[in-house]
Amino acid sequence: MSEKRTSIHGQWANRTVFILAATGSAVGLGNIWKFPYITGENGGGTFVLVYLLCIALIGIPIMMAEITLGRRGKQSPINTMIALAKDEHRNPGWVWLGWMGVAAGFLILSYYSVIAGWAMSYIFRTGSGMFLGVTADGVNSIFTDLVSDPERLLAWHTIFMVMTMMIVARGVKQGLEKAVTYLMPLLFGLLVVVVIYAMTTGYFMQGVEFLFTPGTITREGVLTAMGHAFFTLSLGMGAIMVYGSYLSEEYSITQAAIWIAIADTVVALLAGLAIFPIVFANGLEPGAGPGLIFQTLPIAFGHMQGGTLVGVIFFTLLVFAAWTSAISLIEPAVAYLVENKGLSRIYASVWIGFLTWFVGLGTVFSFNIWKDKTMSIPYIFDNLTFFDTLDYLTANIMLPLGGLFIAIFAAWVMREQSTKEELATHPVIYKTWRFLVRFVTPLAVIIVFLNAVGAIKI
Ligand code: TRP
């Protein structure tokens, strides 16, 4: 039974370490790079509102469910699903949920690493003083130069993957702790510095209005907002499950989930407040796409006092944030290979790292030689590049689907007794959680899916 299970990969030293590691997983490129650009593409206010609702009604309950499953199963998501289905005398077919998670993590990391590579190259661009006094056109052409050069992108992607696999090979617990304890607060501080700069542009209120005044949103936009709630909290693919499996029994899952969600959301909103005033002050396009932060932040660093130093530190910390997230994307796959194939962590990491790197080449080329090669899936999406396709399939489909089934498993498949025991929380909180994961969360996900394909109208 679950009481006797222990993780073969070790345990977190205490609850704080778990919260730090999970926050490290959650806070990453999703908050600083992706949130602003998809908010810009989807028109601002309403998108942000839907995103915040999804965090509260879908994200937090699913995070609690995911940690609960992980801590009870104490293994990689694949073996956890096998073990829990057995404990509950249910169909072993639930294992596919673990497999889908491993696949999603692997696909996300393949492009995540390429974008982290952009951030790395910006450490050096900022450091060389390239942005001093720069204009909006100048930053734009510097960005275009970078992404149109496959060799440079490939080099940075390779460096980032090697860095990630080195940490994963040593085991996620060493080193991670310190990185998150000191570097995350510093990143937060520097974001505040950029927000303060944004206040001096004279366009701060335009930025605030863009982010918080409801306007219109497309059906696709609603799906993207929900998908992003999963992405930014690292939910739906077993990353938080595997981190939960290293958590010892005596800690409160509820508190951890709420704290992680708040920290993650604050960072995203700060990034929005830093970026949109710069967008409007310089006549840039909010919907500029994945390059948005690389076309706005350098303007701030090129014009503020001490901007070169602030910029170098900022991009360095952004790479660290991406790093602590990347580790969690690949940990489920590595844990599985160690458990089932008896591979050493080093061997498993090198293998998976190599495969991820290889798939990442598709994203490298999406911004240059394959820029015009697009794919479509009828009713689902039209004309997306390789990178956009991967992003769409993972964030908009696989993660919400994974989350939906995690909620169903925790609320309908597991006995009430099991989750009550594992969550060990105040009865009112337990009842609220159970109501949310039983009804609200699954229905919300299903409605957003049906709405996106046009089967219903909300
Ligand atoms: N949440 C991270 C970010 O916002 C990315 C990430 C890490 C992730 N682990 C994940 C996304 C697991 C989905 C699933 O940058």
Side-chain angles (χ1 to χ4, degrees):
M1 274 312 288
S2 65
E3 282 73 37
K4 293 202 204 81
R5 250 178 230 139
T6 49
S7 167
I8 63 163
H9 312 280
Q11 269 195 6
W12 304 112
N14 55 51
R15 188 177 72 120
T16 316
V17 178
F18 166 74
I19 293 187
L20 287 172
T23 311
S25 163
V27 175
L29 294 173
N31 308 61
I32 293 172
W33 159 74
K34 194 172 178 192
F35 173 72
Y37 102 72
I38 58 178
T39 298
E41 284 181 341
N42 288 287
T46 311
F47 179 86
V48 175
L49 188 68
V50 176
Y51 156 79
L52 292 174
L53 278 175
C54 290
I55 294 280
L57 295 179
I58 303 179
I60 295 177
I62 292 190
M63 180 172 295
M64 290 169 65
E66 215 180 303
I67 302 173
T68 303
L69 299 194
R71 186 161 78 178
R72 219 169 162 78
K74 293 260 183 323
Q75 296 158 70
S76 71
I78 294 173
N79 290 325
T80 286
M81 290 316 298
I82 296 179
L84 294 182
K86 198 160 162 220
D87 283 355
E88 306 288 334
H89 307 292
R90 296 302 181 131
N91 192 327
W94 278 97
V95 65
W96 72 266
L97 189 52
W99 281 107
M100 186 173 74
V102 166
F106 168 82
L107 294 176
I108 294 174
L109 183 57
S110 80
Y111 70 79
Y112 203 83
S113 163
V114 177
I115 312 293
W118 298 0
M120 280 176 124
S121 84
Y122 268 66
I123 301 174
F124 298 92
R125 282 151 191 263
T126 315
S128 69
M130 207 181 227
F131 296 124
L132 288 174
V134 77
T135 60
D137 283 342
V139 215
N140 194 8
S141 77
I142 292 171
F143 177 73
T144 314
D145 272 356
L146 171 70
V147 295
S148 47
D149 182 350
E151 279 173 34
R152 264 192 290 174
L153 295 191
L154 182 62
W156 290 115
H157 165 53
T158 310
I159 294 173
F160 186 81
M161 273 314 300
V162 169
M163 274 172 49
T164 302
M165 292 348 278
M166 271 164 44
I167 294 291
V168 176
R170 293 179 52 202
V172 289
K173 287 170 286 299
Q174 277 128 15
L176 199 75
E177 207 173 314
K178 289 208 183 54
V180 195
T181 324
Y182 301 107
L183 301 178
M184 290 287 137
L186 200 57
L187 177 64
F188 184 87
L190 284 195
L191 260 179
V192 173
V193 170
V194 186
V195 173
I196 293 171
Y197 168 82
M199 288 174 176
T200 68
T201 58
Y203 284 79
F204 191 68
M205 285 325 286
Q206 269 91 329
V208 172
E209 237 166 74
F210 182 77
L211 282 170
F212 300 111
T213 316
T216 55
I217 191 165
T218 60
R219 295 155 173 280
E220 274 300 318
V222 177
L223 177 63
T224 306
M226 177 179 77
H228 188 64
F230 283 95
F231 186 93
T232 193
L233 294 177
S234 304
L235 295 179
M237 56 72 66
I240 292 295
M241 201 186 285
V242 88
Y243 276 17
S245 75
Y246 308 149
L247 182 66
S248 73
E249 314 302 334
E250 61 270 25
Y251 303 116
S252 157
I253 292 178
T254 315
Q255 272 176 22
I258 292 177
W259 163 245
I260 297 163
I262 291 177
D264 186 82
T265 307
V266 170
V267 173
L269 293 178
L270 276 180
L273 287 174
I275 284 157
F276 287 106
I278 305 178
V279 168
F280 298 119
N282 293 279
L284 298 166
E285 195 38 63
L292 189 65
I293 66 160
F294 300 98
Q295 290 160 316
T296 47
L297 292 177
I299 299 182
F301 301 138
H303 291 269
M304 68 167 82
Q305 277 290 324
T308 301
L309 184 64
V310 174
V312 167
I313 304 176
F314 182 89
F315 283 117
T316 309
L317 294 172
L318 182 58
V319 171
F320 265 103
W323 205 20
T324 54
S325 300
I327 291 165
S328 74
L329 282 163
I330 207 68
E331 178 66 16
V334 171
Y336 170 75
L337 287 184
V338 171
E339 284 163 12
N340 283 44
K341 305 288 167 205
L343 301 187
S344 68
R345 278 197 77 92
I346 299 185
Y347 197 71
S349 310
V350 170
W351 246 109
I352 306 221
F354 176 75
L355 287 178
T356 315
W357 173 85
F358 185 75
V359 177
L361 298 183
T363 295
V364 164
F365 298 143
S366 291
F367 294 96
N368 36 70
I369 54 182
W370 289 357
K371 202 154 100 191
D372 303 315
K373 286 206 188 335
T374 58
M375 347 183 186
S376 307
I377 297 185
Y379 301 107
I380 309 217
F381 60 78
D382 277 329
N383 296 326
L384 297 184
T385 61
F386 184 89
F387 157 71
D388 288 323
T389 304
L390 274 190
D391 179 41
Y392 194 99
L393 283 180
T394 53
N396 291 9
I397 299 176
M398 292 169 91
L399 300 180
L401 212 55
L404 171 64
F405 282 99
I406 287 170
I408 293 177
F409 190 87
W412 294 94
V413 175
M414 284 173 83
R415 282 160 302 155
E416 189 168 354
Q417 186 52 33
S418 311
T419 46
K420 200 180 252 165
E421 195 178 288
E422 201 61 49
L423 274 169
T425 189
H426 190 280
V428 175
I429 298 181
Y430 180 78
K431 284 220 163 63
T432 315
W433 171 78
R434 194 165 154 87
F435 177 75
L436 288 172
V437 275
R438 261 174 104 80
F439 304 105
V440 180
T441 306
L443 271 178
V445 175
I446 292 170
I447 290 172
V448 174
F449 270 144
L450 292 179
N451 178 58
V453 296
I456 55 165
K457 283 201 172 95
I458 48 171

